[in-house]
Amino acid sequence: MRSIHDPRYHLITAALKEIREKKGLTQDELAANLGKKQSYVSKAEGNERRLDLLELSEWLIGLGITLKDFLQNIGWLSEELSVAVPIKGQASQQGKDVVQKMLLQGKSYDVVLKNVALDKYLEVEEFISNKFLALNEPKNKQKNREAIFEAIEFAVKKLPKLNPSDIYVHLVYRAYIRDYKRTRAEQSWVRAGGEAMEIFVEKHYSKLLAAEGITIKALLSGAEKAKALKEMGLEGVVGDSKLDIALYGTHKGKQVIFGGIHSKASLAERVSDDVPCSVAMMGLGLQSILLTFDAKSYPPPQGNLVTIGEFGTTDNPSDKRHYIESHGSFDVCFSYNLHTYPSKLPTKSGKQIYVSDFGPDDPLPQFIIDGWKAFKAKL
Amino acid sequence: MRSIHDPRYHLITAALKEIREKKGLTQDELAANLGKKQSYVSKAEGNERRLDLLELSEWLIGLGITLKDFLQNIGWLSEELSVAVPIKGQASQQGKDVVQKMLLQGKSYDVVLKNVALDKYLEVEEFISNKFLALNEPKNKQKNREAIFEAIEFAVKKLPKLNPSDIYVHLVYRAYIRDYKRTRAEQSWVRAGGEAMEIFVEKHYSKLLAAEGITIKALLSGAEKAKALKEMGLEGVVGDSKLDIALYGTHKGKQVIFGGIHSKASLAERVSDDVPCSVAMMGLGLQSILLTFDAKSYPPPQGNLVTIGEFGTTDNPSDKRHYIESHGSFDVCFSYNLHTYPSKLPTKSGKQIYVSDFGPDDPLPQFIIDGWKAFKAKL
DNA sequence: TCGACCGGTCG
DNA sequence: GCGACCGGTCG
């Protein structure tokens, strides 16, 4: 069989045509880029003329995309991505859920996103993908953390019933890994994803808390962190303390710091980073909140990509659960992962894990408001 | 110009021929794999017949290599490795030093390895590369951490004057990134590299310390860690404590734990993980040592790949220096990075940073021996 | 098993 | 300039 009649070859030419059209190029314009006549483009796209490797390579240069991206686009390099990423446009509705197709080392895995309508999902998928692809543009001026924040915000708004941890991991993180190309996507995610979470928390709660005279402020710079810690009287007290988000109340016309939020996408051993600061805060009567997406899923072959989190169950608790329930190293923990098991009361330390989403029943704002009231009463 | 006459195309066919010959396949055998006649192979290799992408893809399957490996082989995908890796066999002697050629996103960067002879360097490069390539074999039975340990041990033995931090980062880590393919090399490194360091510390010092009746033991499993912490009386005392290496002395025929080593390849914010445990140990009169490769180098374009470390200078100290010199969160810190600035005495806390290599002047063993003597005197 | 390992990033 | 962000790994 001549490969010009092979359906797999047609996939290649179809992809070339699709890319050309997406870039808004006519056959004439592409031909000009390639130094050829329009008929060359027309014949090749119409499978009347076979492209060899060098011609393909030049064609891709004319289209302004790399060979690697093209091969990934047609799925020939899929084996190199060994972090699971969603395949765009391949999700399907299954009852009240959406099944997301994930690609990992050439194999496809299903991830179920509960309580999601396909059209909304696809809208979010498109929005997020465009945000992250835009970061690749040389002329891009947006900060990575801003783009990720906007992705989270959009998804939370459009898919209010979906597990926030799934939004963070499967919709946002995995799309970032798939679409962000400027630097090493995973390390870039580390840098930008965590801060995006802090920004989201600030923006999401600021309006509601402002109504109670409370200001919530993400501490993005070292200077901001240091200032907040100094205001709490924790300057240099516990080594170099760490705090992600500061909480201020208004008292006699002044902003008074009364607590803070430690924010972690996932906990790992890193939760212990925050313990000394948290314990010191609590010792001073300041509110210390641990907020997490509890975003841990195990990829195949060990796991199944479900965001099971790291707290274990109440009967079979993990070390991290002990930080809250036994040691009481934080005043409270809010997990935005619906798979997390909330604390069974009473706990040994009196501190507990709440499980929440960002909807109207989210208990976090009231917890902060109560904290401020208690703090103010002692001023 | 017909691309069949393009010299770039000849590079492709030449590479195909070379791979076939390296695999010990005849034209006949390859043709059989492809379901074609020998003349098809002959004509394609001889540039009498043009291969398109599909044919190439099938050809590569017939050769048993992946498209990705092939494209990397001919240099078409070289831009994808965006962690700097050494180019094998490209190092050169420059006075008493070796200049290592590093590849990062298609550009070459020089890294100077001081006090190294080229022949020794090449011997180490070869040894390490073979170790890591062997990990890719499906029949491989060696643990990753063991292979990395052996790489460090061999390099330290062969290149005793070379900065240990450079050994860890430039000889071992970067070779691992280049050669390890089974899973995601960087994440695998995280898992295995840190434990390899602990094993190395145990093995390197065990003989010397055994002569003084001291046992040094890497705590590789959670059970071992928990046992050691319990022996120290730190079970559950400071949340869930962390310790990497335990130190035992012999007293009245019994093994008595008298301290431990916190081991970190690089510090980042993670040094604070170990602070609560260290402080608790010191509070009980147990010796708490921080041992690090201080392995931080900034890749281009920001940095120049030199392992500058994270302690800053004594005049312009970083936060991490304060953990030792100001807060005294550890009894002592040993940095195996010759770029680290040792403490200027006296320090605020009385605790100090030593800079060392693994040679005969390494002060660590004596520090441990003195620690044991002081501990024993109080028993 | 489910824990803790670490470094490129980018602000 | 230099800090802290996090998740695949594999034992």
Side-chain angles (χ1 to χ4, degrees), chain A residues 3 8-9 50-56 58 67-68 71 80 82 184 186 240 269 273 327, chain B residues 3 6 8-9 50 52-56 58 71 76-77 80 82-83 184 186 240 269 273 327:
Chain A
S3 57
R8 291 174 302 163
Y9 186 77
R50 201 172 57 152
L51 287 178
D52 70 17
L53 256 177
L54 285 184
E55 289 168 333
L56 175 68
E58 280 159 5
L67 179 63
K68 185 185 157 203
L71 292 172
E80 81 158 308
S82 51
R184 330 211 61 255
E186 277 171 278
D240 292 272
E269 89 290 3
D273 290 2
H327 311 312
Chain B
S3 58
D6 191 310
R8 292 172 301 164
Y9 187 77
R50 206 169 54 150
D52 69 15
L53 191 55
L54 275 186
E55 289 167 332
L56 175 69
E58 279 160 4
L71 292 173
W76 284 28
L77 277 186
E80 79 156 314
S82 53
V83 173
R184 329 210 62 252
E186 278 171 278
D240 292 273
E269 90 289 5
D273 290 3
H327 310 311

Side-chain angles (χ1 to χ4, degrees), chain B residues 17-25 73:
Chain B
K17 192 176 171 194
E18 192 187 325
I19 293 165
R20 176 178 61 74
E21 289 170 347
K22 268 197 181 164
K23 296 248 170 184
L25 290 170
N73 195 300

Side-chain angles (χ1 to χ4, degrees), chain A residues 22 86-91 101 125-126 129-130 133 178-179:
Chain A
K22 268 200 181 163
I87 316 173
K88 263 165 88 171
Q90 287 298 302
K101 286 258 177 247
E125 179 180 83
E126 182 74 7
S129 185
N130 288 340
L133 289 172
R178 184 191 61 206
D179 292 334

Side-chain angles (χ1 to χ4, degrees), chain A residues 19 36 51 60 127 158 173 208 214 243 262 283 308 372:
Chain A
I19 293 165
K36 307 261 188 186
L51 287 178
L60 295 175
F127 178 90
K158 288 282 171 183
Y173 165 63
L208 200 61
I214 295 168
L243 184 63
H262 305 269
I308 52 169
W372 168 234

Side-chain angles (χ1 to χ4, degrees), chain A residues 41-111:
Chain A
V41 173
S42 165
K43 283 182 182 168
E45 285 187 356
N47 298 313
E48 292 171 48
R49 189 194 189 290
R50 201 172 57 152
L51 287 178
D52 70 17
L53 256 177
L54 285 184
E55 289 168 333
L56 175 68
S57 170
E58 280 159 5
W59 192 291
L60 295 175
I61 292 167
L63 284 172
I65 79 162
T66 67
L67 179 63
K68 185 185 157 203
D69 282 347
F70 177 72
L71 292 172
Q72 266 172 19
N73 192 302
I74 62 173
W76 284 29
L77 273 188
S78 56
E79 75 281 1
E80 81 158 308
L81 261 181
S82 51
V83 173
V85 296
I87 316 173
K88 263 165 88 171
Q90 287 298 302
S92 60
Q93 190 83 49
Q94 196 170 85
K96 286 170 28 180
D97 311 327
V98 157
V99 178
Q100 205 183 17
K101 286 258 177 247
M102 295 285 188
L103 196 66
L104 173 59
Q105 297 189 298
K107 279 189 203 159
S108 166
Y109 297 89
D110 286 351
V111 167

